[in-house]
Amino acid sequence: FGAAMTSKPICKYGAACYRKNPNHLRQFAHPGREEKVESAGREPKTVTTQNPEGESRGPERVPAAEGSPPTKRPRRDEGRDGYEGEGRDKGESGDEERLGLSKSRGSDWSATESFVDAEELALESGDVRENVRRKFLVDLPEDFYQFWDFCKALNPLQPEAALQPALGLELGGPYHVLAGRLRGVPWQRCVLQHRYFYDPPEFLTVIRGDQTTGFHMGYFRDDPKSSSCFVASNCAKVNCEIQLEAENIFAAVKIQIASRLEDKSLSEEQKKNARELESKLASEVKKLGLKMGDPKELARQRRKAVLAKCFHKIGIVVPYDKTTELGYRPLPMNDRELQRLLNKIASFTDPVKRAEHFEALQEIITFVQFANDECDYGMGLELGLDLFCHGDQFHNVVCHLLPLAYELLGREEFKKIIQEHLKCRDRVPADFSVMHL
């Protein structure tokens, strides 16, 4: 009723709107949340965080003093991401919360919800590359844009579907910015566009394939500010392992074509489509003067740079001084031993037995605290990614370890991505495309 008495347009999120920016609250009406609108101008008593647009994201806990236990039980009114009032259901076990075993919430967004934001639309410019960087928090390599032009030549009306006839693949993720399908969608949702369950922040999906296995390919980079990246793949419905594919997207698609042509179940029409795509791809590569590279050499270089494989096998790379051995220290368990421990903890329904086995993990977390104090930030990154790759059973621990690791490493963009992903981690990748609705 209050909204009907005002001339302000109604915010599309209504009472569920998370924004507390006074300018936004003055501009839009929020039926059912008018008491919050009226008090928006008053100084909040809690510590707040801000997103890149300068808008308040809500109250945040004041960090605990150094040396405090990393799995200290949060207050009952605190959410998993540290925001008050966004927490777990009252029915969830306190033991699960204390041991960090609660699972991720799943998607918070309705399939019928509009994802277009009027303020985001106003920020978008004619510079497509800048829009991609702002929405996905990283710069994409030149071959990303060159491949879009190639697909536009193949299918001018719908470039994102250009690979469908020959390979059953479609362009996704940041390619939807180029297709105009993410206009007005804010970065908090864009970074989740086609982000699969096991995708760490380092992995950005650009091509989607077989939905039975969850196959997808994307760019993998160790540092969000680095231009150095390569193409990798994962089958999200099979496991968490990330496979190195090629130096660039053209070479990765070439490998997919070769694999497709080896499939004896293909019809003659499908083989014809694959060969035609192979020929056109070869011509484009020659015209652009691209180096396709040797996947084996690329893999060798990767193995040389990696400090720890982690459960996803692609490994981690962090700044490391071999002379002083500063930057990384190994976990006290190898991958197999850690996997066995995590399986045991997650399998117990008896809180007492679960707590007994959790003590071993708690000890490793304490070692990570010591490592962080001594600037060996890679250890926390390794453990955080291992727990992330194990599934969603150690959600609270991951929420503590990974954002902190990325912050200490100066990889703020990855910190933002993992925080958004952990808020709504789902087995089905999100699609916020305006044409998808």
Side-chain angles (χ1 to χ4, degrees), residues 34-76:
E34 295 306 318
E35 68 280 0
K36 295 183 182 179
V37 176
E38 292 171 0
S39 63
R42 295 198 291 270
E43 189 71 23
K45 295 181 181 180
T46 52
V47 179
T48 60
T49 57
Q50 292 187 336
N51 65 20
E53 287 74 37
E55 296 178 350
S56 171
R57 293 296 306 278
E60 183 182 25
R61 291 179 293 175
V62 177
E66 279 191 44
S68 60
T71 54
K72 181 177 179 181
R73 181 179 178 130
R75 299 194 307 271
R76 291 181 64 85

Side-chain angles (χ1 to χ4, degrees), residues 20-21 35 52 64 72 108 137 140 151 173 202 210-211 233 241 306 345 370 397:
K20 296 182 177 68
N21 187 308
E35 68 280 0
K72 181 177 179 181
D108 288 338
L137 307 185
L140 276 298
C151 289
E202 292 87 349
D210 181 11
Q211 297 307 302
S233 67
E241 295 183 13
V306 161
I345 296 173
F370 296 153
V397 182

Side-chain angles (χ1 to χ4, degrees), residues 56-117:
S56 171
R57 293 296 306 278
E60 183 182 25
R61 291 179 293 175
V62 177
E66 279 191 44
S68 60
T71 54
K72 181 177 179 181
R73 181 179 178 130
R75 299 194 307 271
R76 291 181 64 85
D77 61 344
E78 289 180 343
R80 296 189 182 108
D81 53 8
Y83 298 153
E84 296 178 12
E86 290 187 9
R88 53 205 294 108
D89 295 334
K90 291 182 180 179
E92 291 190 24
S93 165
D95 289 308
E96 288 189 352
E97 181 178 18
R98 178 172 59 83
L99 298 177
L101 294 175
S102 58
K103 296 185 179 182
S104 54
R105 288 190 300 231
S107 178
D108 288 338
W109 296 294
S110 165
T112 59
E113 178 185 358
S114 172
F115 306 121
V116 178
D117 187 298

Side-chain angles (χ1 to χ4, degrees), residues 222-236:
D222 297 294
D223 190 324
K225 300 177 182 64
S226 172
S227 59
S228 176
C229 61
F230 54 85
V231 178
S233 67
N234 167 253
C235 293

Side-chain angles (χ1 to χ4, degrees), residues 214-227:
F215 174 79
H216 57 292
M217 295 195 297
Y219 289 101
F220 190 98
R221 68 182 74 210
D222 297 294
D223 190 324
K225 300 177 182 64
S226 172
S227 59

Side-chain angles (χ1 to χ4, degrees), residues 125-386:
S125 66
D127 188 340
V128 175
R129 300 188 184 214
E130 174 59 24
N131 287 338
V132 169
R133 186 203 62 77
R134 194 167 48 78
K135 287 178 180 291
F136 286 87
L137 307 185
V138 294
D139 287 312
L140 276 298
E142 187 63 27
D143 63 275
F144 169 83
Y145 298 98
Q146 292 171 331
F147 193 75
W148 175 254
D149 292 336
F150 171 66
C151 289
K152 280 199 331 187
L154 295 177
N155 187 341
L157 296 179
Q158 198 175 2
E160 59 267 40
L163 304 180
Q164 191 69 39
L167 300 176
L169 303 175
E170 63 179 42
L171 306 187
Y175 276 123
H176 280 193
V177 176
L178 278 61
R181 298 175 66 174
L182 291 175
R183 292 193 68 246
V185 180
W187 72 267
Q188 291 91 338
R189 291 175 179 176
C190 285
V191 296
L192 302 180
Q193 180 77 354
H194 301 151
R195 181 165 292 279
Y196 287 72
F197 186 77
Y198 290 114
D199 290 353
E202 292 87 349
F203 189 95
L204 176 58
T205 300
V206 294
I207 292 181
R208 307 174 69 203
D210 181 11
Q211 297 307 302
T212 303
T213 62
F215 174 79
H216 57 292
M217 295 195 297
Y219 289 101
F220 190 98
R221 68 182 74 210
D222 297 294
D223 190 324
K225 300 177 182 64
S226 172
S227 59
S228 176
C229 61
F230 54 85
V231 178
S233 67
N234 167 253
C235 293
K237 293 185 179 180
V238 178
N239 55 42
C240 65
E241 295 183 13
I242 299 174
Q243 305 292 329
L244 188 151
E245 292 287 342
E247 185 175 335
N248 59 60
I249 197 70
F250 286 88
V253 171
K254 180 183 178 182
I255 292 172
Q256 291 300 311
I257 294 173
S259 176
R260 180 79 164 172
L261 289 173
E262 291 176 359
D263 186 350
K264 295 181 180 180
S265 66
L266 286 185
S267 66
E268 288 302 318
E269 181 67 22
Q270 290 172 321
K271 289 180 181 178
K272 178 184 176 183
N273 291 335
R275 290 193 183 99
E276 287 180 356
L277 178 61
E278 184 179 41
S279 176
K280 292 177 181 178
L281 186 76
S283 298
E284 187 71 10
V285 167
K286 184 177 180 179
K287 183 179 76 173
L288 295 172
L290 290 174
K291 295 181 179 179
M292 301 300 272
D294 180 3
K296 291 183 179 180
E297 175 60 22
L298 185 63
R300 189 191 67 80
Q301 292 176 3
R302 179 66 185 175
R303 287 193 298 270
K304 186 177 179 180
V306 161
L307 291 169
K309 280 188 176 181
C310 296
F311 288 176
H312 59 34
K313 306 299 184 185
I314 199 70
I316 61 168
V317 176
V318 298
Y320 178 68
D321 189 322
K322 290 184 179 180
T323 303
T324 62
E325 297 184 342
L326 192 66
Y328 170 78
R329 67 180 66 173
L331 295 173
M333 290 184 179
N334 60 38
D335 287 350
R336 181 175 297 179
E337 293 169 336
L338 181 59
Q339 183 80 55
R340 191 180 301 121
L341 172 64
L342 299 181
N343 289 341
K344 275 188 178 180
I345 296 173
S347 67
F348 284 115
T349 56
D350 181 357
V352 176
K353 291 184 178 180
R354 184 186 299 164
E356 289 175 358
H357 286 82
F358 191 83
E359 288 301 318
L361 178 59
Q362 177 64 64
E363 185 178 4
I364 301 176
I365 295 172
T366 301
F367 289 156
V368 167
Q369 283 187 306
F370 296 153
N372 286 341
D373 291 342
E374 298 172 11
C375 301
D376 290 334
Y377 306 138
M379 186 182 189
L381 178 62
E382 180 183 4
L383 180 59
L385 286 173
D386 282 346

